[in-house]
Amino acid sequence: MKFGTRAVHAGQEPDPIYGSVMTPVYLTSTYAQPHPAEPKVPGHDYTRAANPTRSALEANVAALEGGAHGHAFSSGLAATSTILQLLKSGDHVVAGDDLYGGSRRLFERVYRPLGIDFTYVDPSDAASVGDAIRPETRMVWVETPTNPLLRIVDLDAISNVCAAARATQKILLCCDNTFATPFLQSPLAHGFDVVCHSMTKYLGGHSDLLGGALIVNDDELAERISFLQLAVGALPGPLDCFLALRGTKTLHLRMERHCDNARRVVDFLDAHARVKTIYYPGLERHPNHAVAARQMRDFGGMVSFVLDVDVEEAKRFCTRTKVFTLAESLGGVESLIEHPPSMTHASVPEEERRRIGIDDGLIRLSVGVEDIDDLIADLEQALPA
Ligand SMILES: *Cc1c(COP(=O)(O)O)cnc(C)c1O
């Protein structure tokens, strides 16, 4: 079935008892068993082991990514952390150099002290990923589009450059698909093994929950992840699963509007005298535009740009918008604005920020699904003359 049909229906059937069309929220921690160790439905002896609302969500996100197995977690970082729990001391990971800040913090401050080594490279240069692979490399971790500079990673090129090493050693190729969503990009179809999501963002889509997901095709890998769900327990509650499932039903509709609105915002910014640089993969002059056009169905709802102002004026600009709310996070129906150097990327050392191009005047927009005329009027009144 096509994407929109999967979004609405995958993993969900009318409830067999009352016929309720919506998936019931099974708010229960445990299940009555007719006989010891014989739950009514196999595997359903405790909610950490299985919960029908969570299973519905997992089947839904797996179908959206075109994967065989979905696994839900309590947050995007809980999902990321679970993948790293597949590794052991002495293993090595090659990762992109402008990852989501929380992923970098997890790698450096939780897993490096446990003996896992990380090398960061520019992932839009696939050769640099290949060059960083060592005999003990067990994982490649990329994000595309990246945050906040919206660079595009060529997923085919990464899997090609890793193919020779993968013939002799196990290397999991993992893609954080949070910014693109499965509506725009399918990493599994490009030879990747694991897709990771923060469902907090576009999948949930309404800024009302925290959630994460991992989607894989390999049965054995899925079994290991299921074991970690049970053994570690970083799981979402049934109510959050229900909210995420309600969100994914409209993912395709929301993404179309996010993409259209972002394009119009870019057209407006491009014509404004105080806007120095725009980071948006839909622009033909974007260095990775050709890859984006080939790999993605559209260019997404995120736009970053540099204002021709100092850091204080950039911050003031973010307080003058009225429709765009000044807040971290992204991917909800409402438009958000933020100043990465002082907010989402404040923990990146200044020297490193300069090296990767996070300028003092950098602004990041998560363009929502409001009426585009109001969004543009809002930016116009807030921008410096
Ligand atoms: C937000 C985000 C995460 C972390 O997700 P949480 O749900 O906040 O834990 C990971 N990757 C990307 C790209 C994100 O935007």
Side-chain angles (χ1 to χ4, degrees), residues 74-80 99-103 141 143-147 176-179 196-201 209-212 329-330 364:
S74 51
S75 69
L77 282 179
T80 305
L99 291 187
Y100 174 68
S103 302
W141 185 278
E143 216 176 282
T144 181
T146 65
N147 174 19
D176 182 334
N177 208 26
T178 300
F179 269 43
C196 177
H197 276 284
S198 169
M199 295 196 293
T200 312
K201 317 293 169 52
L209 64 91
L210 276 183
S329 198
L330 58 114
R364 189 188 79 180

Side-chain angles (χ1 to χ4, degrees), residues 65-71 73 76 78-84 86-87 138-144 155 158-159 166 171-178 185-197 212-218 220-222 224-225:
E65 284 290 357
H69 306 278
H71 303 269
F73 294 89
T80 305
S81 184
T82 300
I83 279 293
L84 287 156
L86 296 169
L87 304 185
R138 291 290 170 268
M139 185 177 292
V140 170
W141 185 278
V142 298
E143 216 176 282
T144 181
L155 297 176
I158 300 281
S159 54
R166 264 156 64 93
I171 304 176
L172 282 177
L173 302 184
C174 307
C175 179
D176 182 334
N177 208 26
T178 300
Q185 169 177 286
S186 307
L188 296 177
H190 296 281
F192 273 60
D193 303 296
V194 182
V195 178
C196 177
H197 276 284
L214 296 176
I215 298 98
V216 304
N217 271 327
D218 185 77
E220 194 197 318
L221 180 58
R224 291 173 71 200
I225 296 170

Side-chain angles (χ1 to χ4, degrees), residues 83-240:
I83 279 293
L84 287 156
Q85 287 163 6
L86 296 169
L87 304 185
K88 58 182 190 332
S89 173
D91 288 349
H92 173 246
V93 176
V94 179
D97 63 1
D98 65 344
L99 291 187
Y100 174 68
S103 302
R104 177 103 173 207
R105 180 176 58 198
L106 180 70
F107 294 175
E108 288 301 306
R109 296 186 52 192
V110 179
Y111 287 97
R112 186 182 287 285
L114 294 176
I116 296 172
D117 194 12
F118 296 86
T119 302
Y120 300 95
V121 298
D122 173 2
S124 60
D125 170 17
S128 73
V129 173
D131 292 346
I133 291 176
R134 308 179 197 154
E136 61 277 15
T137 302
R138 291 290 170 268
M139 185 177 292
V140 170
W141 185 278
V142 298
E143 216 176 282
T144 181
T146 65
N147 174 19
L149 298 176
L150 305 173
R151 285 192 277 170
I152 303 296
V153 178
D154 185 337
L155 297 176
D156 282 331
I158 300 281
S159 54
N160 288 339
V161 88
C162 295
R166 264 156 64 93
T168 56
Q169 69 197 72
K170 271 209 163 138
I171 304 176
L172 282 177
L173 302 184
C174 307
C175 179
D176 182 334
N177 208 26
T178 300
F179 269 43
T181 84
F183 181 67
L184 299 182
Q185 169 177 286
S186 307
L188 296 177
H190 296 281
F192 273 60
D193 303 296
V194 182
V195 178
C196 177
H197 276 284
S198 169
M199 295 196 293
T200 312
K201 317 293 169 52
Y202 287 106
L203 293 189
H206 296 76
S207 308
D208 52 5
L209 64 91
L210 276 183
L214 296 176
I215 298 98
V216 304
N217 271 327
D218 185 77
D219 296 343
E220 194 197 318
L221 180 58
E223 221 165 279
R224 291 173 71 200
I225 296 170
S226 293
F227 171 76
L228 288 169
Q229 283 183 297
L230 174 72
V232 179
L235 296 164
L239 201 50
D240 280 349

